[in-house]
Amino acid sequence: MKPFSRLCLLASLCLLACISVSAQTAVNKADSLQNRLLSEMITVPAPNFTLKDLDGNVVSLKDLKGKIVVLDFWSTWCVPCKKSFPAMQLAVNTYKNDASVKFLFIHTWETSKTPVEDVKKYIAQSGFNFQVLMDLKDEAGRNAAVEDYGVSAIPAKFVIDKAGNIVFKLTGFTGTDAAALQEISERIKLAKNRK
């Protein structure tokens, strides 16, 4: 075999080895993420809520039984909430044609005197395509939905399975949009496959 042919063969073998290692690394990362998320799964009945969206339509969790529901508690003053929104928009876009998955963005703990108007303006200016529900203070001065879910910090996200159980709860936002999309997608997949 000529030296050039040997060099080409060696380069091809090295390239194949790199591709194989890269593919195996991706598989290992996916398995690692799935294993980590499986260890985080819980089964807690999701508290029902009945809230209005920005157009005044009433939305109740009990009416969504049989769907995977992703709740995202947030507020306009919450910087990490807003930082998570590009990733959440990617997730909404990813599942827009999947009728078995529903995303609800629950605005809560607002300090403004005009929360509905402020949220409408923020969502419109930011270009997000979210169904926002308003967890406004009731007569007793409490934000019922966020309190019923035991949220102590926002952003707080919950993934609810088809049976109406919370299967994942996460708080905060760090990392990249791509990593966040991968995680929320894996959580949804695990919730869908839950027996």
Side-chain angles (χ1 to χ4, degrees), residues 22-175:
S22 179
Q24 187 60 43
T25 300
V27 168
N28 289 343
K29 281 184 181 179
D31 286 346
S32 175
L33 173 61
Q34 186 178 43
N35 289 336
R36 179 174 62 81
L37 294 179
L38 280 170
S39 73
E40 294 176 8
M41 284 187 92
I42 58 176
T43 303
V44 177
N48 188 44
F49 57 79
T50 301
L51 300 170
K52 289 184 179 178
D53 68 13
L54 295 176
D55 296 321
N57 301 310
V58 174
V59 177
S60 183
L61 181 63
K62 69 180 178 188
D63 296 335
L64 299 172
K65 198 161 187 178
K67 294 183 184 283
I68 303 300
V69 180
V70 179
L71 303 180
D72 188 338
F73 287 91
W74 70 287
S75 190
T76 55
W77 51 260
C78 172
V79 174
C81 298
K82 295 191 279 189
K83 284 190 179 212
S84 76
F85 278 1
M88 292 306 291
Q89 184 64 64
L90 289 172
V92 168
N93 294 347
T94 298
Y95 290 94
K96 70 181 177 190
N97 296 321
D98 187 341
S100 70
V101 178
K102 182 76 172 166
F103 287 84
L104 297 173
F105 294 80
I106 302 178
H107 184 269
T108 192
W109 290 342
E110 186 53 67
T111 56
S112 161
K113 300 282 186 219
T114 56
V116 175
E117 293 79 11
D118 294 347
V119 171
K120 280 183 180 180
K121 182 179 175 184
Y122 172 74
I123 293 294
Q125 287 178 343
S126 302
F128 296 120
N129 183 23
F130 298 156
Q131 183 172 9
V132 177
L133 306 181
M134 298 300 294
D135 182 28
L136 301 173
K137 287 188 172 154
D138 61 18
E139 303 82 34
R142 69 187 286 265
N143 298 93
V146 77
E147 288 183 30
D148 289 348
Y149 275 78
V151 174
S152 58
I154 54 176
K157 296 172 180 46
F158 295 82
V159 178
I160 300 169
D161 68 11
K162 294 175 185 179
N165 293 307
I166 297 169
V167 291
F168 290 106
K169 176 184 176 182
L170 53 152
T171 304
F173 176 77
T174 58

Side-chain angles (χ1 to χ4, degrees), residues 8-21:
C8 287
L9 179 61
L10 184 60
S12 296
L13 290 173
C14 286
L15 181 61
L16 284 174
C18 287
I19 291 170
S20 176
V21 167

